[in-house]
Amino acid sequence: MENRYANKLDKINKDFQWVERLSVLMDSRFRIGKFRFGLDPILNFIPFAGQIATLIISLVLVSVMYRNGTSGKLTIRMLLNVTYDAILGSIPLFGNVFDFFNKANNKNIKLLREHYYENKHQGSGIGILLTIAIILFVLILGFIYLMYALTLWLFNGIF
């Protein structure tokens, strides 16, 4: 029984080291002065394909650690980091600069380290999902109301 637990812990440590090395390569491998950057902002200079490649790599890192037993809450937080990075990083010009400063993979490594070695970020993550759902619902309602108000304004202006 202990041997099985030790083997699982060794696999988690091995996968964590692999994920950490790849995260450093993507976010902070190179240095100019005191400024660190990785392949993520460089690949983002290739329109569309670069952003897709970095998103896929980030999702692979999250999925590897999810297979190693990260909690639902941690997985959701890591996916939010990756999504935030992908959405804002895809904006022309702004995204190129943004990718030099936002390091989603390094943030995820910090979260993983806290999860595995400090027992933080435990739980199902249902609260995060409910918060996101409520925010989206309010935004959609606001959008529908704005469209309704715009339609009334246009009809009143025309007729």
Side-chain angles (χ1 to χ4, degrees):
M1 186 71 141
E2 279 187 38
N3 190 25
R4 198 161 136 199
Y5 178 73
N7 286 341
K8 184 176 180 174
L9 193 58
D10 286 342
K11 181 171 177 12
I12 289 172
N13 285 332
K14 185 179 177 182
D15 284 349
F16 181 80
Q17 289 171 358
W18 177 82
V19 166
E20 187 174 33
R21 282 194 307 270
L22 191 53
S23 294
V24 167
L25 177 65
M26 292 303 293
D27 286 347
S28 60
R29 176 70 177 111
F30 311 108
R31 181 191 325 206
I32 296 178
K34 293 187 180 200
F35 182 73
R36 298 188 73 79
F37 62 96
L39 289 178
D40 185 8
I42 294 169
L43 289 173
N44 201 23
F45 284 110
I46 303 169
F48 191 67
Q51 192 63 31
I52 295 290
T54 59
L55 175 63
I56 289 171
I57 290 169
S58 295
L59 290 175
V60 165
L61 297 178
V62 171
S63 69
V64 165
M65 296 319 292
Y66 178 72
R67 281 191 325 224
N68 282 309
T70 59
S71 68
K73 181 178 181 178
L74 176 63
T75 304
I76 291 168
R77 288 188 66 185
M78 292 188 325
L79 287 172
L80 286 174
N81 282 338
V82 169
T83 303
Y84 174 71
D85 183 58
I87 290 171
L88 292 179
S90 65
I91 300 170
L93 265 7
F94 172 79
N96 292 354
V97 174
F98 176 78
D99 274 340
F100 275 100
F101 295 100
N102 184 53
K103 299 175 182 337
N105 294 314
N106 283 348
K107 289 177 187 176
N108 286 346
I109 288 298
K110 181 179 182 252
L111 291 171
L112 283 168
R113 190 172 281 116
E114 290 171 352
H115 174 75
Y116 282 125
Y117 302 113
E118 300 172 22
N119 283 329
K120 292 183 178 179
H121 313 295
Q122 304 294 328
S124 68
I126 216 82
I128 295 172
L129 291 176
L130 284 175
T131 303
I132 292 170
I134 290 168
I135 290 170
L136 286 174
F137 181 72
V138 168
L139 288 173
I140 290 169
L141 281 180
F143 180 75
I144 290 170
Y145 175 76
L146 286 174
M147 295 306 295
Y148 172 74
L150 179 63
T151 304
L152 286 179
W153 180 74
L154 286 172
F155 275 109
N156 288 334
I158 294 172
F159 301 111

